[in-house]
Amino acid sequence: MNQPSTRLSESPMIDLQGVAKQFLKPSGEVHTVLQNINLRVEKGEFCSIVGPTGCGKSTTLSLIAGFEKPSYGKVRIQGETLEGINHQAACVFQTENAFPWKTVIDNVSLGLRLKGMIKGEAYQEARRWIEKVGLKGFEGHYPHQLSGGMRKRVALAQCLITQPQILLMDESFSALDVHTRHLMENELLKIWEETSASVFFITHDLEEAIALSDRVIVMTAGPGATIKGDYKIDLERPRNVAEIRFDRQFAQLHEQIWNDLRDEVMVSYASANHA
């Protein structure tokens, strides 16, 4: 049985209302990626989205970021219809976003410099965030001198230094080994709990979604994907993402959500094999 979230406010941070997204194929045929997406994410809420490959998770993120416009419906940010790029959001993707010719402190401070902050002040704030993500002492290093996990810490600091109200993350930790991944997940939770940012987190890993989130959204298989399930994750915080997986309630939630997700994965798999 799906558990709809009860956290409602007059103006949620993110509000997708009847959203659909269509693309025109080279053949001239209309391809519907998403249809009838209704989703609210409250201020300070950590919301993860899971679903089979190709169901439109990244397209949904692009709509919230303002990289794409909906074909139908509305995307509202704090009650205002989104027009163009969402300047209240910052993105952390799977790929690296640090400039290889810049040091850690130059990469982290760049967002503030682009907003007009003088170098000395930007560096001071960058040092604070570099320490916060556990990279104190690495300010003068270049990206190629860092491990994959350290580069992800740089990416987090780059985004969070601008104090975004929305953090959009697309498979951000998927390329890391399991131990580094758990460290980064815990680091993310620690920093998120100190901010009021709303997080929209895409992952293929259901365990990761449950361990991190207040809510987990399950998407149906594409094309024309929509929301199938909306689950409240009522696990105690603060959490250790490695240890919480042994909690009995975690196992119950995993079984419940997987029953929804498994059916959609099988539909997607069958469709791919008959394409």
Side-chain angles (χ1 to χ4, degrees):
M1 183 73 178
N2 294 352
Q3 303 177 41
S5 171
T6 57
R7 292 184 64 186
L8 297 178
S9 64
E10 193 163 331
S11 293
M13 184 59 69
I14 301 167
D15 190 8
L16 276 61
Q17 302 177 353
V19 166
K21 183 61 181 177
Q22 298 176 331
F23 294 100
L24 196 63
K25 293 182 177 181
S27 63
E29 180 185 358
V30 174
H31 175 66
T32 301
V33 180
L34 300 169
Q35 62 180 353
N36 196 31
I37 300 295
N38 294 287
L39 175 65
R40 295 164 62 109
V41 180
E42 305 299 326
K43 182 178 177 63
E45 188 174 32
F46 199 122
C47 181
S48 287
I49 184 166
V50 296
T53 299
C55 71
K57 299 184 294 295
S58 294
T59 301
T60 305
L61 183 145
S62 292
L63 292 169
I64 296 170
F67 301 151
E68 299 278 354
K69 290 184 176 181
S71 303
Y72 302 100
K74 291 185 178 180
V75 177
R76 293 184 181 271
I77 304 299
Q78 287 190 300
E80 299 292 328
T81 300
L82 181 61
E83 300 289 349
I85 297 297
N86 184 351
H87 295 290
Q88 299 187 56
C91 303
V92 182
F93 297 108
Q94 182 177 349
T95 54
E96 305 293 342
N97 60 348
F99 291 108
W101 60 88
K102 289 184 178 290
T103 61
V104 168
I105 195 166
D106 284 325
N107 271 296
V108 173
S109 64
L110 183 61
L112 297 181
R113 296 291 308 280
L114 292 174
K115 289 187 173 184
M117 184 178 287
I118 64 173
K119 186 174 182 179
E121 292 179 1
Y123 268 27
Q124 184 177 353
E125 185 67 7
R127 287 190 184 95
R128 189 173 74 86
W129 277 100
I130 289 167
E131 182 174 2
K132 193 180 284 286
V133 299
L135 287 178
K136 185 177 181 180
F138 290 90
E139 292 86 350
H141 285 60
Y142 290 89
H144 74 272
Q145 297 174 308
L146 305 176
S147 68
M150 294 168 80
R151 290 194 296 271
K152 285 298 177 186
R153 291 172 188 266
V154 172
L156 273 180
Q158 280 180 296
C159 288
L160 293 170
I161 194 172
T162 60
Q163 299 185 43
Q165 297 197 54
I166 299 170
L167 186 60
L168 305 174
M169 305 186 71
D170 191 350
E171 295 284 349
S172 302
F173 304 143
S174 61
L176 302 175
D177 66 81
V178 64
H179 302 297
T180 304
R181 186 171 182 167
H182 287 169
L183 287 173
M184 286 305 306
E185 290 165 347
N186 281 327
E187 198 70 49
L188 172 62
L189 285 182
K190 179 182 174 183
I191 296 171
W192 167 71
E193 286 164 3
E194 296 175 358
T195 73
S196 59
S198 303
V199 181
F200 185 82
F201 190 92
I202 294 175
T203 179
H204 280 96
D205 186 337
L206 180 55
E207 287 193 0
E208 180 178 55
I210 297 170
L212 292 173
S213 305
D214 296 316
R215 283 166 63 208
V216 173
I217 306 298
V218 178
M219 299 285 289
T220 64
T226 192
I227 292 173
K228 181 179 184 181
D230 185 343
Y231 292 87
K232 183 178 179 182
I233 308 300
D234 195 18
L235 298 173
E236 188 176 348
R237 294 190 186 276
R239 301 176 193 166
N240 180 297
V241 296
E243 296 174 2
I244 197 70
R245 288 167 164 83
F246 299 104
D247 187 282
R248 181 180 299 176
Q249 189 179 356
F250 182 98
Q252 292 171 343
L253 283 164
H254 189 280
E255 181 180 8
Q256 185 180 20
I257 300 171
W258 173 240
N259 285 336
D260 249 358
L261 179 59
R262 176 187 54 209
D263 294 341
E264 300 307 317
V265 171
M266 294 306 296
V267 168
S268 178
Y269 179 76
S271 178
N273 281 335
H274 288 88

